[in-house]
Amino acid sequence: EYILMNASAGIMARDNYFLEIEVGNESHVVLSSQSFEKIHKMVDGTAKRETRVKIGKQAYFKYIPLPTIPFAESNFNNVTTIHLQDVTAKLSYLEILSCGRHLRGERFKYKLYKSLIDIYQMDKLVFKDNSVFESEVTNLEGLGMFEGYTHLANLILFGFFISENSTAAIAELFSIYKIDGGVTALLNGGCLIRALANESEVLMRCFQEIIFTLEAENHC
């Protein structure tokens, strides 16, 4: 288990991060973060992060960072590329994005938050998500976006068997935590679980339970 540390107060204008992670065959790696990820105000310029992950045979990579908070007038571009060596490679990739510091009146006041995720299995593209949240162009409160909620969670899974019992358990957790969510099957055995809520802690607890439930069923 590793915690990704950052000595700065958060992501600043013109920051350019590059992360490269390789999970060897038959290994199990959990990566989390030390605190909520704060993307600070940027008078001009933008910040970028590129992450490349390789997951070997019979390996499992679990990425569960704390939620991201884009401050007013922030501008962030995130690119993630994940390679699964074969069908035995497992992935659990969680992202939670807030609307900003809404208690300070900064609800969707950021300029741009962009996240591109490409996942390959045996060099074949099996999942692509290009999320663009641009407050001046799109009504982020509207239908198909946050729909009045303040937090969005995405959990991408590969290498897991999702049974009817698991789906029912996920639906029950959504009901218990009073969040709106759904489960979508992806190509080559993948699964996307997406949910909306008004508290980051609620989403974190709910999705951690979902992951533990699926890990137990799949003997991870």
Side-chain angles (χ1 to χ4, degrees):
E1 295 188 18
Y2 294 92
I3 297 176
L4 190 62
M5 307 293 288
N6 189 346
S8 76
I11 296 174
M12 307 292 185
R14 298 187 181 86
D15 279 355
N16 194 353
Y17 293 89
F18 178 76
L19 305 175
E20 190 167 18
I21 301 164
E22 185 167 352
V23 184
N25 294 341
E26 301 181 10
S27 57
H28 182 169
V29 174
V30 180
L31 181 63
S32 58
S33 57
Q34 69 188 101
S35 63
F36 282 51
E37 185 168 64
K38 303 174 184 68
I39 307 175
H40 288 269
K41 177 180 178 179
M42 300 171 190
V43 177
D44 56 8
T46 184
K48 300 178 182 179
R49 179 172 61 211
E50 181 180 0
T51 304
R52 298 177 186 173
V53 182
K54 293 181 180 179
I55 307 173
K57 298 177 181 178
Q58 302 289 339
Y60 177 30
F61 178 58
K62 180 178 177 180
Y63 181 62
I64 47 170
L66 290 169
T68 298
I69 307 173
F71 288 14
E73 298 185 52
S74 63
N75 191 332
F76 185 60
N77 189 359
N78 187 44
V79 177
T80 303
T81 305
I82 300 173
H83 287 268
L84 307 169
Q85 189 164 341
D86 64 11
V87 295
T88 67
K90 287 184 171 60
L91 170 69
S92 176
Y93 185 94
L94 176 64
E95 288 185 318
I96 298 177
L97 176 66
S98 82
C99 67
R101 298 184 296 180
H102 62 282
L103 295 179
R104 296 194 179 191
E106 292 184 4
R107 188 178 175 114
F108 301 113
K109 297 295 185 181
Y110 52 85
K111 297 176 185 175
L112 175 69
Y113 182 90
K114 183 176 181 179
S115 178
L116 174 64
I117 302 174
D118 286 333
I119 300 177
Y120 295 83
Q121 191 179 70
M122 294 180 290
D123 296 323
K124 177 184 177 182
L125 183 65
V126 291
F127 178 80
K128 187 180 190 74
D129 181 57
N130 188 15
S131 296
V132 181
F133 301 102
E134 192 169 7
S135 59
E136 294 183 357
V137 175
T138 306
N139 177 16
L140 298 180
E141 299 273 12
L143 185 66
M145 304 303 289
F146 280 73
E147 301 186 6
Y149 290 97
T150 59
H151 292 76
L152 168 67
N154 288 318
L155 175 61
I156 305 168
L157 299 159
F158 273 92
F160 286 84
F161 172 70
I162 313 294
S163 68
E164 291 185 5
N165 288 337
S166 296
T167 304
I170 293 169
E172 184 177 358
L173 285 170
F174 285 164
S175 177
I176 291 171
Y177 284 99
K178 296 181 172 60
I179 62 178
D180 285 338
V183 181
T184 303
L186 304 174
L187 288 173
N188 290 35
C191 177
L192 172 64
I193 304 174
R194 181 168 287 175
L196 292 160
N198 284 315
E199 293 182 44
S200 58
E201 291 81 5
V202 167
L203 284 174
M204 284 295 297
R205 291 197 300 269
C206 180
F207 274 79
Q208 285 173 347
E209 286 197 46
I210 290 172
I211 292 170
F212 292 152
T213 298
L214 296 177
E215 286 175 343
E217 185 175 44
N218 287 266
H219 307 290
C220 292

